[in-house]
Structure formats: structure tokens, C-alpha cells
Amino acid sequence: MPPAEALVFIASKHTNPVRRRVLWRVSVEDAKKICSDPRTAGPHYMLCFTTENIDDPASFVYVPDNGRHADVLRDHRIRILRDHTTPRPAATRQPK
């Protein structure tokens, strides 16, 4: 069974976007490493993760990674499952 997946998103002070700004889709274990690292928070933002409704495009939008946290990903050996450059999987149709 594959590990549970999570979305790592940006939570910014004084903003309430309609859709969460997602940087990466990773395992829950890796999301915990990313979000508990002190380098992923500043005075006006922090990286958070969720496992709720992660495939709902009405709730999330992938945004480009500007490389700010490349050292965190490298130091924790994080494997990105999906980012803004990874195409969304095609929707599967259920037969009628």
C-alpha cells in the first residue's frame, strides 16, 4: 500500500485565498518533516499541510516553487510526488 499523501501549502498572514496555494504533493511523513522545519516559516508566512480533499481543484491551486526551500527538501531527502509542473492525472470516467 502506498504511503498516505499530503499537500504542502503556503499560509500567509493577512491573506485568505479562496484556494490554498500548494507547492508540493508529498507523503504525509515528508510533509511533517517540511512543516516542522523552522526554515519553512517566517514572520508573514508558514508552510502547512493537509490530507483533506487533496484532489479537489476547487480547494487547491498549484503555484510555482521559487526554490526558497530547496535546502529543506534536500536536507530531508524529500521526494516530490507532484508540483505545478506535473500534469494533473486525467479524470477517470465511470462506465454508465
Side-chain angles (χ1 to χ4, degrees):
M1 181 173 168
E5 295 180 357
L7 298 182
V8 176
F9 65 93
I10 305 165
S12 299
K13 191 175 185 179
H14 304 300
T15 62
N16 191 12
V18 174
R19 296 188 296 173
R20 290 181 177 165
R21 296 167 295 148
V22 175
L23 289 171
W24 315 290
R25 185 177 193 137
V26 297
S27 70
V28 171
E29 181 181 315
D30 285 346
K32 289 177 182 178
K33 291 175 190 175
I34 293 167
C35 296
S36 65
D37 191 299
R39 296 173 289 178
T40 62
H44 301 288
Y45 82 99
M46 64 192 297
L47 297 187
C48 300
F49 76 93
T50 185
T51 58
E52 299 291 320
N53 302 319
I54 64 174
D55 291 315
D56 180 8
S59 299
F60 303 102
V61 61
Y62 282 82
V63 296
D65 174 4
N66 66 6
R68 174 182 281 178
H69 301 294
D71 54 339
V72 174
L73 299 177
R74 181 190 64 246
D75 292 351
H76 291 289
R77 296 187 176 115
I78 304 297
R79 183 174 153 257
I80 302 299
L81 303 175
R82 181 171 169 222
D83 63 12
H84 83 285
T85 63
T86 308
R88 282 190 55 133
T92 56
R93 293 187 56 153
Q94 298 295 327
K96 290 184 180 185

